[in-house]
Amino acid sequence: MAMVICNSEVKIEINFPMEIIESILLRSQAKSVVRFKCVCKSWLSLISNPIFMKDHHKRQVTHTIQAVGRFGGMVCSSHSSKHFDQISSNIFPNDKYKMENPHMAFVGCDHGVVCLVDNFTHVYLWNPAIGNHKKLPESHPLKGICKSQTLFGFGYEPLTNDFKVVAARSCEGNHILLDDRKLWVFQKFFIRGEQIAVYSLKNNSWKSLVMPDLFSIDQHDGDKGDTKLFTSVCYMVSVVVSGSIHWLISFEQRRSSSVEKLGIVAFDLSSEEFKLITPPSTLNDKRIWNTSICNLSGCLSLITTPGPSSCIDIWVMKKYGMSDSWAKYISVDLGNQLVKSFPLGVSQNGNLLLESTSVGELRKDRYTSIYDPKSKTIQHVGKGERGSKPNFATYAESIFLS
């Protein structure tokens, strides 16, 4: 590095090889890298390259992001996986940006970008590390339908360097709240022939797809009207694993007697094709009360509470797309704890994320807790807010949307 005095100003000339500069930038924080765009044209070209953006994201430390909807916005805080220490906290929208409606829902997170929905109508992409956001165009094929009957998913497609949002509608039904933590929607999603809207950030436009037959059974009333397919969404947050968006659902074929089954609907971000992933075969014989899915160290994972018990099972699909590769990762019994807990997710180090309420107290305060399977201890790491529904996802900083 050489320093030259010119017109009473200090001018710094960097003589490092570009390979060293790139190595330094790849390990720098996202906000700093974005600032370095203005150093010179060669730095701008390097930082704007999609390959650099992906490499930079891969080198960032992976954390757990917690998203909590509040009146007027969404709070996203980043936490360490081990002790859940808060690293950063960001609020969307900021004071300079006023929303048209205060209710916000968390859709998902991928490659450092968070997808949010305002009142199930307006969709936003937001990079909390650098503060940039984009409101998606509203002219999509599903515009005008009942707001509460729209399900969203979000993910990054690396081959074309594109972020995509998927919107699916329910052809009928209403929604109800079974408990204070999770919305179960008794509607008909992913039914053959229904329209699916797909947004491409690269093209900044929506397009329409037609839903294929995933369930391989008669989806319409028979001659006697005794057969009909019903699907319901068990977990409203989408999860990205192996280049596909996933939603956890249950479905049943209504006849004189019906059997409800769990399933995971997957949308391939590259081929834009749907498929149905079956859960572990043993789960179809049990009554499952609380379920969710997550990305555990790059594997599709399923969290279940079989029946009215204190036991929580975590399943991992070791070979993506192969239903016979499901294996029970861990089984946790919280019966000896003085709290009632619901599973919310799993951190990258294997700690179980819970929403807990104290047992036997008149005032049912809610807490965000972590359970360490190794020490078999549970620790409260935050107090929940009434009416709020915390969502968790794997997160690492990026410079996308810069």
Side-chain angles (χ1 to χ4, degrees):
M1 180 180 293
M3 181 176 292
V4 180
I5 304 298
C6 181
N7 296 328
S8 300
E9 294 182 358
V10 177
K11 180 180 179 181
I12 300 177
E13 296 182 356
I14 300 177
N15 297 323
F16 291 134
M18 202 61 190
E19 292 79 7
I20 296 180
I21 295 175
E22 181 177 355
S23 178
I24 296 173
L25 293 177
L26 285 173
R27 289 162 174 79
S28 301
Q29 292 184 340
K31 186 174 290 186
S32 298
V33 174
V34 172
R35 292 197 193 104
F36 291 147
K37 280 187 172 184
C38 64
V39 172
C40 60
K41 290 183 179 180
S42 61
W43 284 34
L44 173 62
S45 176
L46 171 65
I47 297 171
S48 302
N49 190 312
I51 297 178
F52 176 88
M53 292 182 176
K54 287 184 280 189
D55 289 343
H56 174 268
H57 172 69
K58 290 178 181 178
R59 283 168 170 78
Q60 302 306 300
V61 178
T62 300
H63 302 301
T64 299
I65 192 172
Q66 178 183 13
V68 180
R70 294 180 180 174
F71 185 83
M74 175 72 67
V75 178
C76 286
S77 54
S78 179
H79 301 262
S80 65
S81 297
K82 187 175 183 180
H83 300 295
F84 210 71
D85 299 324
Q86 182 171 306
I87 298 171
S88 63
S89 180
N90 299 278
I91 301 176
F92 181 90
N94 55 37
D95 295 336
K96 298 180 181 180
Y97 185 76
K98 301 300 181 182
M99 294 173 51
E100 300 175 14
N101 197 294
H103 176 74
M104 295 212 80
F106 179 80
V107 174
C109 174
D110 195 17
H111 276 68
V113 178
V114 175
C115 182
L116 305 172
V117 178
D118 167 15
N119 198 35
F120 294 94
T121 303
H122 309 103
V123 185
Y124 304 86
L125 300 184
W126 174 43
N127 186 327
I130 61 177
N132 291 1
H133 70 270
K134 176 179 176 59
K135 181 179 179 181
L136 274 56
E138 299 177 23
S139 56
H140 56 78
L142 305 185
K143 185 180 180 181
I145 68 170
C146 180
K147 299 174 184 177
S148 63
Q149 294 180 342
T150 307
L151 177 69
F152 293 91
F154 167 72
Y156 174 73
E157 205 291 287
L159 296 179
T160 57
N161 185 39
D162 196 8
F163 286 93
K164 295 182 179 181
V165 177
V166 180
R169 70 175 181 178
S170 170
C171 54
E172 64 180 51
N174 296 312
H175 67 281
I176 61 174
L177 191 64
L178 278 184
D179 53 59
D180 62 351
R181 184 182 64 88
K182 195 178 299 180
L183 186 66
W184 287 60
V185 186
F186 287 87
Q187 297 175 331
K188 297 179 64 177
F189 284 104
F190 305 116
I191 301 299
R192 181 182 60 197
E194 287 299 315
Q195 276 193 322
I196 302 293
V198 178
Y199 169 82
S200 165
L201 178 62
K202 196 171 185 178
N203 299 327
N204 192 31
S205 63
W206 293 87
K207 68 178 179 181
S208 179
L209 301 177
V210 178
M211 194 67 205
D213 182 4
L214 292 183
F215 304 96
S216 300
I217 59 177
D218 187 6
Q219 299 185 10
H220 304 280
D221 287 340
D223 296 336
K224 297 181 180 180
D226 60 348
T227 301
K228 201 172 186 181
L229 176 72
F230 284 82
T231 61
S232 55
V233 180
C234 302
Y235 191 59
M236 300 298 289
V237 176
S238 65
V239 174
V240 176
V241 178
S242 297
S244 295
I245 303 174
H246 301 83
W247 300 267
L248 180 62
I249 67 165
S250 65
F251 62 97
E252 58 182 306
Q253 191 174 6
R254 293 275 177 89
R255 291 177 177 171
S256 57
S257 63
S258 59
V259 177
E260 184 176 321
K261 297 182 179 181
L262 283 177
I264 300 174
V265 174
F267 176 79
D268 191 304
L269 287 159
S270 179
S271 64
E272 297 188 343
E273 295 177 346
F274 286 90
K275 65 180 177 182
L276 181 66
I277 298 176
T278 57
S281 57
T282 56
L283 296 183
N284 287 327
D285 300 327
K286 298 179 181 179
R287 172 67 174 173
I288 305 299
W289 282 43
N290 295 287
T291 57
S292 60
I293 55 176
C294 66
N295 183 329
L296 178 56
S297 300
C299 295
L300 182 62
S301 300
L302 177 65
I303 308 172
T304 65
T305 302
S309 68
S310 58
C311 185
I312 299 174
D313 295 333
I314 303 175
W315 298 81
V316 174
M317 178 175 274
K318 293 186 175 181
K319 296 182 180 180
Y320 179 76
M322 299 182 64
S323 296
D324 59 354
S325 69
W326 284 107
K328 186 176 289 189
Y329 174 74
I330 195 173
S331 184
V332 177
D333 190 355
L334 299 177
N336 59 343
Q337 302 291 334
L338 297 179
V339 294
K340 182 180 179 181
S341 301
F342 297 96
L344 296 174
V346 183
S347 63
Q348 290 301 294
N349 67 338
N351 285 346
L352 186 61
L353 303 172
L354 305 166
E355 185 178 68
S356 304
T357 55
S358 299
V359 177
E361 296 183 1
L362 294 178
R363 182 179 177 180
K364 300 295 184 181
D365 289 332
R366 296 192 301 176
Y367 301 90
T368 299
S369 306
I370 57 173
Y371 177 84
D372 187 345
K374 297 179 180 179
S375 62
K376 296 183 179 181
T377 57
I378 189 170
Q379 177 185 2
H380 296 321
V381 293
K383 190 173 182 180
E385 298 181 16
R386 293 188 178 275
S388 63
K389 300 176 181 64
N391 296 287
F392 295 90
T394 301
Y395 171 81
E397 284 191 0
S398 78
I399 58 174
F400 289 101
L401 299 187
S402 61

